[in-house]
């Protein structure tokens, strides 16, 4: 009998070991689309898209971690952005961060659920995400021609020999730290496929180049960030 109990204990311990297969099955690949606006009113509303790679301790409850790459663009008007010579234009944002959050199951008896978990289709979640936001605007600069280009343009200029000035647009970037707060609800259509809706607010911890221009102009006093409403798909390997 002791041999049998020893064998059962070994089998039980083997099942409790966390394997690479368990880690792979816990990976989540959400795709997210949404709309956003800035409460301070200095930029236009925008559409945003995001790609995420996540890990969940349990698929539809408990802790989770995401690495997120988010991109969106806004337009701005009549702002004197330091280091640039464009007053009305478009700013592109690339945001990168790592979020940590928790999912709470939407069940009738949550105490009984945690004592003996089971698959359920609905949960709500909250998360916090430190990261960075990279704002990019355009700047117009004189284009420096090569010697060959000068000769070609002189040949095309004809008798006048006048070469028109040529310009090029270059990117002007700045990076600021951010903190994003998110909350949402998720519905699993199948055990490995779900949909979710999410609301989030991103706080810029330092002014972006757009916000700094607005602060200098007296339009706003402090940096803020966008509010975003999004929908997405939760995709699992198993």
């Amino acid at each position: 009998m002791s041999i049998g109990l020893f064998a059962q204990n070994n089998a039980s311990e083997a099942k409790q070991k966390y394997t690479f297969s368990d880690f792979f099955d816990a990976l989540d690949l959400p795709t997210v689309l949404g709309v956003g606006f800035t409460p301070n009113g200095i930029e236009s509303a925008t559409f945003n898209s995001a790609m995420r790679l996540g890990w969940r301790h349990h698929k539809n409850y408990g802790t989770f971690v995401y690495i997120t790459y988010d991109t969106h663009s806004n337009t701005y008007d009549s702002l004197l952005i330091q280091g640039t010579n464009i007053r009305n234009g478009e700013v592109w944002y690339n945001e990168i961060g790592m979020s940590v959050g928790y999912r709470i199951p939407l069940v009738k008896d949550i105490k009984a659920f945690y004592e003996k978990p089971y698959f359920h289709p609905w949960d709500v979640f909250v998360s916090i995400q430190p990261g960075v936001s990279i704002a990019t605007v355009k700047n117009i600069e004189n284009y420096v021609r090569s010697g060959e280009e000068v000769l070609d343009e002189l040949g095309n200029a004809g008798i006048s020999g006048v070469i028109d000035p040529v310009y090029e647009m270059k990117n002007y970037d700045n990076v600021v730290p951010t903190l994003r707060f998110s909350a949402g609800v998720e519905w699993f259509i199948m055990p490995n496929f779900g949909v979710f809706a999410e609301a989030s607010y991103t706080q810029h911890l330092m002014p972006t180049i757009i916000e700094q221009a607005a602060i200098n102009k007296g339009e706003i006093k402090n940096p803020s960030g966008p509010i975003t409403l999004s929908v997405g798909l939760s995709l699992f390997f198993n």
Side-chain angles (χ1 to χ4, degrees):
M1 183 176 292
S2 62
I3 295 174
L5 290 173
F6 182 73
Q8 289 179 2
N9 287 338
N10 284 345
S12 177
E13 290 177 3
K15 289 181 180 179
Q16 291 177 0
K17 288 182 179 179
Y18 194 82
T19 66
F20 178 77
S21 178
D22 295 325
F23 174 79
F24 192 76
D25 291 342
L27 294 180
D28 182 16
L29 295 172
T31 55
V32 185
L33 295 174
V35 295
F37 66 95
T38 52
N40 55 32
I42 62 173
E43 297 170 271
S44 67
T46 183
F47 293 96
N48 71 291
S49 62
M51 297 176 61
R52 297 176 181 173
L53 173 62
W55 175 86
R56 305 189 186 190
H57 187 207
H58 301 287
K59 188 172 290 186
N60 49 9
Y61 72 97
T63 56
F64 63 87
V65 178
Y66 281 122
I67 297 173
T68 301
Y69 171 70
D70 191 307
T71 181
H72 61 275
S73 66
N74 304 68
T75 58
Y76 63 91
D77 296 314
S78 303
L79 288 177
L80 180 61
I81 299 173
Q82 186 176 4
T84 72
N85 48 25
I86 298 179
R87 301 295 172 258
N88 303 327
E90 186 173 20
V91 53
W92 282 91
Y93 290 97
N94 292 281
E95 298 176 345
I96 304 169
M98 175 175 285
S99 63
V100 178
Y102 194 87
R103 280 184 161 77
I104 302 171
L106 292 178
V107 292
K108 292 182 179 179
D109 191 338
I110 194 167
K111 182 179 179 181
F113 172 85
Y114 277 104
E115 289 176 352
K116 192 175 182 180
Y118 56 88
F119 178 78
H120 61 91
W122 291 91
D123 63 74
V124 294
F125 59 88
V126 292
S127 69
I128 184 170
Q129 176 182 294
V132 295
S133 179
I134 307 168
T136 303
V137 296
K138 296 294 184 180
N139 186 46
I140 297 176
E141 300 181 8
N142 289 316
Y143 178 74
V144 180
R145 298 176 173 89
S146 66
E148 185 177 341
E149 288 175 323
V150 171
L151 292 175
D152 287 342
E153 293 189 33
L154 283 172
N156 294 329
I159 298 174
S160 66
V162 177
I163 302 177
D164 294 328
V166 180
Y167 305 95
E168 61 179 335
M169 297 185 70
K170 288 190 175 182
N171 291 339
Y172 183 83
D173 307 315
N174 87 314
V175 182
V176 300
T178 61
L179 199 60
R180 177 181 294 182
F181 305 92
S182 301
V185 60
E186 182 178 47
W187 173 43
F188 275 88
I189 301 172
M190 297 183 294
N192 62 347
F193 177 73
V195 296
F196 62 89
E198 177 183 287
S200 65
Y201 170 70
T202 301
Q203 175 64 51
H204 296 150
L205 303 181
M206 294 174 59
T208 65
I209 48 179
I210 301 296
E211 290 171 327
Q212 188 60 57
I215 290 172
N216 295 340
K217 192 177 179 181
E219 292 188 357
I220 62 174
K221 293 183 178 180
N222 301 296
S224 55
I227 294 174
T228 306
L229 303 175
S230 306
V231 294
L233 305 177
S234 299
L235 306 172
F236 295 86
F237 295 99
N238 187 15

